Amino acid sequence: MDPDTVLTLAHDQAIQYPSVEIEHPFGPEYNVYKVRGKMFLMAFDLRGVPSMNLKIDPLDGEVLCDAYEEITPGYHMSKKHWITVAGAGAAEDGSGNILDPDLLHDLVLESYCLVVAKLPKKDRPVDPKTFGGRDET
């Protein structure tokens, strides 16, 4: 997927989640998606390429960074807990995996649920274990 499509799909998905707001605390060129005041997605241009940061489980982040050229450790974020997704990259030459809409959907959902899970139970707009078809018992 091209980077613009990646950001469009992520935006369309994220704004449908309960209690999501878009803010611009770092300037108008940074769209920060928050749930109950906590960031789970930030969209921006990285060296002219539309990109986004997403919260991730550290082990998943390592695997994804190894498997996809479009996914790297979080730009200007904790490299352990955040990833940067930049859309189509060199992997399109057949040398590796290519980010697809299903994986992107899962990454945005995971980021949202990881942040919701850290909120006090009374403030959670959804159950992060089951929201979006997740079933983590």
Side-chain angles (χ1 to χ4, degrees):
M1 283 187 295
D2 69 88
D4 288 321
T5 300
V6 169
L7 286 188
T8 299
L9 290 175
H11 167 82
D12 291 348
Q13 178 182 344
I15 62 169
Q16 294 181 36
Y17 292 160
S19 299
V20 169
E21 295 181 349
I22 301 172
E23 298 179 4
H24 300 93
F26 309 116
E29 64 275 15
Y30 296 92
N31 290 330
V32 176
Y33 297 72
K34 293 183 176 184
V35 55
R36 302 283 164 98
K38 301 293 184 182
M39 180 173 75
F40 71 95
L41 185 157
M42 180 171 64
F44 55 95
D45 270 9
L46 177 59
R47 296 177 202 94
V49 177
S51 305
M52 74 178 115
N53 285 343
L54 295 165
K55 189 130 177 106
I56 193 78
D57 175 85
L59 294 177
D60 291 343
E62 286 181 36
V63 171
L64 289 164
C65 288
D66 287 343
Y68 295 88
E69 288 191 33
E70 300 98 338
I71 300 174
T72 58
Y75 179 72
H76 279 295
M77 303 292 280
S78 164
K79 308 292 188 229
K80 182 176 181 180
H81 295 281
W82 291 85
I83 56 172
T84 297
V85 179
E92 288 186 330
D93 65 5
S95 65
N97 297 317
I98 299 173
L99 183 69
D100 63 53
D102 290 336
L103 176 58
L104 179 63
H105 177 275
D106 291 348
L107 293 174
V108 174
L109 176 62
E110 178 72 8
S111 183
Y112 176 83
C113 288
L114 283 170
V115 172
V116 168
K118 294 290 186 180
L119 295 171
K121 285 188 179 184
K122 66 180 178 60
D123 294 336
R124 294 178 185 171
V126 298
D127 181 345
K129 293 181 181 176
T130 60
F131 180 71
R134 294 165 40 111
D135 187 16
E136 296 179 8
T137 54

